[in-house]
Amino acid sequence: MVGGPVVRVLVLRGLGFNCEEESAAAWQLAGAEPVVAHASDWLSGAVRLDGFAILHLPGGFSYGDDLGSGQVFANRIRLGRLEDGTRVLDTVSAFLGRGGRIIGICNGFQILVRAGLVPNIGGQFVQQVALAANLCGHFVDRWVRCRSAGMSLANLGEREFDLPVRHGEGRLVFGSPELRDLCQEKGLIGLQYLEADGGPATTEPANPNGAELATAGLWSEDGQVFGMMPHPEAYLTFVNHPDWGGRQRRGEDNDEATQTGQAFFRAWVEAATRHAAEVGR
Amino acid sequence: MATRAAAHFVAVLVRPDQRDVTGERVRVQARHLGIETGAVRVARVYAIDLPGTAEQLARAAPLVLADAVLETVAVDVLPVHSGAFVTTARLPGVTDDEGRTAQLALALAWDEPRLRDGQQCVFAQRLYLLQRQLADGDLRKLASALGNPLVDHLAWGAGLPTAIAAPAFVDHPPTPQQTVDLHGDDDAVLALSKAGCWHLDAAELRAIRDHFDEVAADRLARAMPALPTECEVEVFAQTWSEHCKHKEFNATISLVHNDQPRTVRSLFKTFIRGATERIRDKYAAIGQDWMVTVFSDNAGLVELDADHYFALKVETHNSPSALDPVGGAMTGVLGNNRDAFGTGKGGARLLFNTDVLCFGSPDYAKPLLRGQLHPMRVARGVVDGVEQAGNKSGVPTVNGALLFDDRFAGKPLVYCGTGAILPKQYPNGESWHKDIRPGDRIVVIGGRVGRDGIHGATFSSGALDDKVSGSVVQIGSPFVQKMASDLLAEACALGLVSGCTDNGAGGLSSSVGELAQGPGGALLHLERVPLKYAGLQPWEILLSESQERMTLAVRPGDVAALVALAQRRGVEATDIGAFDDSGRLVVRFGETTLADLDLAFLHDGVPTRYLQAEWTDHPALPNPELTLDAGPMLLRLLASPNICCREAVVRLYDHEVKGKTVIKPLMGPTGLAPQDAAVVRASFDGWHGLAVASGICPKFGDLDPYAMAAGAFDEAVRSLISVGARLPVAGEAPSWSGCDNFCVPNSAFDAVANPDGKLKLGKLVRMCEALYDCAVYFDVPMTSGKDSMKNDFVSEGHKISVPPTVLFTLVARVADVRRTVTSEWKAVGDVVYQVGATYDELGGCDWLRLCGGPDLALHGAVPQVRLGDARRVYEKMMAAHAAGLLASSHDLSDGGLLVALAECAIGGGRGAWIDVCQLSDSQPIAAVLFAESHSRLLVSVAPHHVAAFEMLFGRDAVRLGQVSADPSLRLDNGAESLCALTVAELTAAWRTPLW
């Protein structure tokens, strides 16, 4: 790990988020300092992004996903105001302006998409892609093979992972062919579902939802915001893997720092640390 | 229903160039009903009862109500064509979260806080636009598949709807208080009980009458009428309901067993609490009492680690799930979760859910009776409810079972279980202790009160018939509950809560009545209770089982802090009264006193019931003569509904949220290996965790209810042993916790209405005796439990009764989750053993049921639990786990050895060469392959551990063969080949779609 100041991460809880505990554990294992705060305190301004390097919107069902997954929380980001009258979106924009990073996983990704924070090509914070209902038509909890690709997860490089997906609306749809090409050209497709042969997965079950271009995770154009459907925070130890017993019996590689979801958080922390060092220099 | 055209409406549709996945599913669903709809588009429609212009809505709606890429929005018009339509909308008063959320969204868009806090004026509905023109009958059929008239208003027609309706609420002024005269003869008072939906019997009504006669002078002095008020009788009906007081489990029973008469004074005290107390005393004597709260609180509480307790509770929600499968199951899960939240001072964090579901067969073909839903409709709905409730609450559903038997076609059994973790210490003291003092305020948090769920407690205490009112059914709101439970945990951690309980059966009447027992009294002001809408009668407010509410006791000085915190969190918290030491439960609405009751009589005055029971043991019928046909039979067994792969259900449940699940329902390289028990880490700070398993096997009850209940107990124990749990052992800080859930048909004898009642009750007594014998032998205590006594469905002169059923949910602490073991075969060359002995016990087995139906399965001996042999085998398994000798372990249950072998092969994607000749030396080959003898496991052992393993087990393990490089299951009996099937063939059969 690169030395430097501790990376502080704001993890939201409440209002229907469900994954704050394992998310905090993930950041801790990666050497960061997570602070778990109630989302209502962030939306009111009682908790601010000052001093944080990363904002993490975790998985769950914010506001019950009543109007579509992530819609209401995205509304709060786009239209809401802190108690002092500042627009929430302005605080987010300022946070990104000073090099802050945002990670959204599952429901967090759905929020980022609806709030226009990914891919945010052109920087206008308008919704450009969507996460539509899985083609199977229902929620699914299953492990899938993924590869980090394109611009890549910070310095994670091109690597393969098994990860759990747990969602009903994860089918990434690009708003237009032009936008799809742009995202590809700019290398924003940071994570793809894989077939057994290692190619991008086009059909179920390898592609669990029917996402275009097998997209499992997407960067913002500026590379500071990343959303993904799979749950690396649910794979912090080798015994989370469905075949952990077999892998252990056969003596296969179970290195947690590189094989599990920990790798994602380590990469993000490392990138934030590097950024802090560069700014410091 | 009372409706009127809404001022405006917004329709949100999927854009024509995007796939409407929901519409596609509806089209398929219609096809299953024999209806060809053509393309279907589904619109989310919001009826909006607000002044304001269409232009304002047209600006706001696309911003806040729709996905900008996928959806398009229309205001006050439907810019589409369709051949026909169906709409479903919630009936007035039924929870409509989506409408409320849409209202909040508009409040945000318009920066209009009054919209945020006021009454509901936006109502959600679904509009299904069907391409084809359809006959009225088809539309009616489709509508009743898309919605449920008990909770939804359904409409259909040609073309497009002409208006979008909003519900209208009728305001009923409070009716003047009435008194009830219970001095009539039995027939007269029973008629009153029936009309009032009280479900009180003649003796209970007499007890109430006599009590009021006794205290008449005192009542007049309190300015109360001498006769009980309607509201007071309702409070008795709730508090004394079978649901709340378990009158039959506490009855005095005259039993004739094999012609020998004896008396059982309370099944609960004798067998259930009796067993737990004996185990507790035994371990307390050596300073190892791990039981913190047993049977006295909402969930059983045991020691987990230095800083935490573990809470366990399992409930059933059978009647509501029969009527409204989605809502019934959802409120079952959420209600059971609230029991965990409401244990001790409150604020436990949920660790996992379990669900055990019993339905009629998927291919049930008998004509449906009035009020009866097809088992598949029930099954799909219940699974949907469990999915929504668990997933949205962020609780992993980690363990369960699915059973099919046509006797569940009237009432399904829906068992919802929860495990939770409670920190031991709060700033205001020990968390387990409800420290409620006179003067503490009564504060309710969570949802508002409506007319939903009135008489749920009393309703579930009777048989289900075709005359039910929709008000007994409730829709849960996982989101509202999540908000409230998050707040509760936060408030408890701050030391603001001195005790709490949930509002479930009986509503405030029960929750306040129960909590009042601590301080010794309570005064409740119903006019302060926040309502969903106006027009509720005071007694309805008192009884309403509107969901997602917790009742808290809060020191007067802490109320302001609690209310302020609740406000920040967007949860309503209201002070509705105070606890006192008056010895009375007083309920007021404004100036009117609705109830003023002696608390001691309310809780202890219910008369003991006297019931009759009989049971005669009978010898087993001889085994039938059947050809073995091992290969084809195995494939048929694997494909049968009671055995086939549960992935269609399991993958709908989030079983990994919280990141702590180590053994999930399906594991292995391809995610197809079924597991015996789930294992969950307790926290991220250590490797200790909990293993949870279920035991349930009603199919053996027709032969012998004692053997059936013992078998269910053993199944849960052996499942936990299989994954690596250790039975309580002196010196090891054991921490086991069990929950018993009995579901039986009406067992109260009545010469006309229930002529075989004595036999039914006899079965129940035998089941309880088995529980006691097993519990004290294994030292596994029940810490909570629940019984459901009236599982009969009556309609059109027919009665469908469930078979007597008991579920044991057992949880054991495991010291290191990384040392647990899964079921699937893992490496070529590993040696396969059967642990434990097979007996000629084909009675009730799935093989016989498959060959000749339930009647054939009445032949053969029922599997017995031989406690001494079981314990010896389990202790050897514990030693094998401790020494790390096991590569895999799978318990033998439904289908017997052959099915277990196939499951290990499918799960690991590996074959094996198996020879059962050592087993068939002593038992018939049919029993070797198919008998479901208990206390057996199928394990595999790495070659380098074989010597140690065989030394340890001796004759308790029989070597069967080895995991092979050839991916097929080859089964021999000495020189004779019984079958050879590839793993792919086995897998294909096992993955036969469940429905």
Side-chain angles (χ1 to χ4, degrees), chain A residues 12-268:
Chain A
L12 299 186
R13 71 174 177 92
L15 301 183
F17 289 121
N18 289 331
C19 301
E20 66 275 8
E21 193 189 348
E22 60 269 40
S23 298
W27 291 112
Q28 211 139 30
L29 282 168
E33 186 191 308
V35 173
V36 179
H38 202 286
S40 65
D41 283 343
W42 180 61
L43 292 170
S44 73
V47 170
R48 291 178 183 262
L49 290 168
D50 310 326
F52 289 101
I54 299 173
L55 167 67
H56 179 167
L57 307 177
F61 290 78
S62 56
Y63 290 98
D65 276 359
D66 279 336
L67 307 178
S69 41
Q71 176 74 42
V72 180
F73 203 89
N75 289 348
R76 298 286 305 259
I77 293 179
R78 286 184 296 128
L79 304 173
R81 291 177 185 275
L82 310 184
E83 265 166 18
D84 67 9
T86 317
R87 289 185 348 139
V88 176
L89 188 59
D90 290 344
T91 72
V92 172
S93 172
F95 175 65
L96 293 173
R98 58 174 189 273
R101 281 141 207 275
I102 303 178
I103 302 295
I105 295 174
C106 200
N107 197 231
F109 185 18
Q110 292 162 338
I111 291 167
L112 294 179
V113 159
R114 298 232 191 193
L117 284 156
V118 281
N120 198 16
I121 294 173
Q124 297 303 304
F125 300 106
V126 292
Q127 185 182 347
Q128 293 167 324
V129 303
L131 288 160
N134 298 351
L135 284 184
C136 64
H138 54 73
F139 182 97
V140 62
D141 179 334
R142 186 192 296 133
W143 283 62
V144 291
R145 189 99 183 130
C146 298
R147 182 168 50 222
S148 54
M151 178 190 278
S152 169
L153 301 165
N155 56 356
L156 203 57
E158 206 163 288
R159 296 247 311 270
E160 293 187 12
F161 298 91
D162 290 334
L163 291 170
V165 289
R166 316 183 316 241
H167 60 253
E169 291 91 23
R171 173 169 50 104
L172 194 114
V173 173
F174 294 94
S176 66
E178 298 74 37
L179 194 91
R180 180 171 56 205
D181 295 345
L182 264 180
C183 286
Q184 250 181 320
E185 277 163 30
K186 292 175 180 285
L188 304 186
I189 300 169
L191 196 68
Q192 283 184 301
Y193 303 113
L194 294 189
E195 297 287 358
D197 67 4
T202 49
T203 53
E204 286 184 274
N207 180 333
N209 46 45
E212 291 183 23
L213 300 178
T215 308
L218 194 66
W219 285 100
S220 62
E221 185 181 25
D222 62 10
Q224 287 175 241
V225 185
F226 184 68
M228 63 191 284
M229 289 313 298
H231 287 271
E233 81 288 358
Y235 185 23
L236 298 182
T237 157
F238 77 94
V239 292
N240 288 131
H241 192 282
D243 196 28
W244 69 267
R247 290 164 63 152
Q248 194 178 42
R249 164 71 188 88
R250 298 185 295 270
E252 291 166 19
D253 182 7
N254 274 332
D255 180 53
E256 291 182 337
T258 57
Q259 296 283 305
T260 71
Q262 283 192 31
F264 288 78
F265 295 89
R266 285 172 191 274
W268 293 327

Side-chain angles (χ1 to χ4, degrees), chain B residues 63-232:
Chain B
L63 272 178
V64 295
L65 297 180
D67 186 294
V69 171
L70 297 173
E71 293 173 323
T72 163
V73 172
V75 175
D76 290 350
V77 289
L78 290 167
V80 285
H81 298 285
S82 70
F85 74 91
V86 171
T87 60
T88 63
R90 292 298 192 209
L91 289 172
V94 175
T95 301
D96 170 22
D97 272 346
E98 191 185 330
R100 285 207 150 271
T101 308
Q103 182 168 335
L104 288 178
L106 290 172
L108 180 69
W110 289 332
D111 197 14
E112 180 56 75
R114 271 173 307 168
L115 255 184
R116 201 170 59 214
D117 303 325
Q119 281 212 339
Q120 185 166 355
C121 51
V122 178
F123 305 91
Q125 46 185 282
R126 285 285 173 279
L127 169 62
Y128 301 87
L129 300 162
L130 316 172
Q131 188 183 20
R132 299 215 178 151
Q133 296 178 7
L134 292 170
D136 190 68
D138 281 348
L139 288 172
R140 175 193 304 271
K141 200 151 95 179
L142 183 58
S144 55
L146 292 169
N148 181 342
L150 277 178
V151 287
D152 298 313
H153 176 68
L154 307 176
W156 56 87
L160 292 168
T162 48
I164 297 293
F169 295 97
V170 186
D171 196 347
H172 307 279
T175 49
Q177 177 147 272
Q178 306 279 336
T179 55
V180 181
D181 191 344
L182 297 172
H183 287 90
D185 62 16
D186 281 3
D187 287 346
V189 292
L190 283 173
L192 284 175
S193 173
K194 192 163 181 174
C197 195
W198 301 332
H199 287 274
L200 293 167
D201 70 13
E204 288 153 5
L205 292 162
R206 281 196 299 271
I208 295 169
R209 178 197 68 197
D210 294 348
H211 171 75
F212 277 85
D213 286 349
E214 255 169 58
V215 299
D218 178 59
R219 284 181 63 80
L220 293 173
R222 291 170 185 279
M224 290 296 288
L227 292 175
T229 66
E230 256 182 339
C231 186
E232 286 173 324

Side-chain angles (χ1 to χ4, degrees), chain B residues 600-639:
Chain B
F601 178 74
L602 178 63
H603 285 290
D604 305 324
V606 61
T608 302
R609 283 205 176 165
Y610 293 88
L611 299 169
Q612 292 169 288
E614 63 188 21
W615 175 253
T616 306
D617 299 312
H618 45 76
L621 297 171
N623 287 339
E625 293 291 328
L626 291 167
T627 50
L628 206 56
D629 235 2
M633 197 48 74
L634 172 57
L635 294 177
R636 280 182 61 196
L637 276 169
L638 287 174

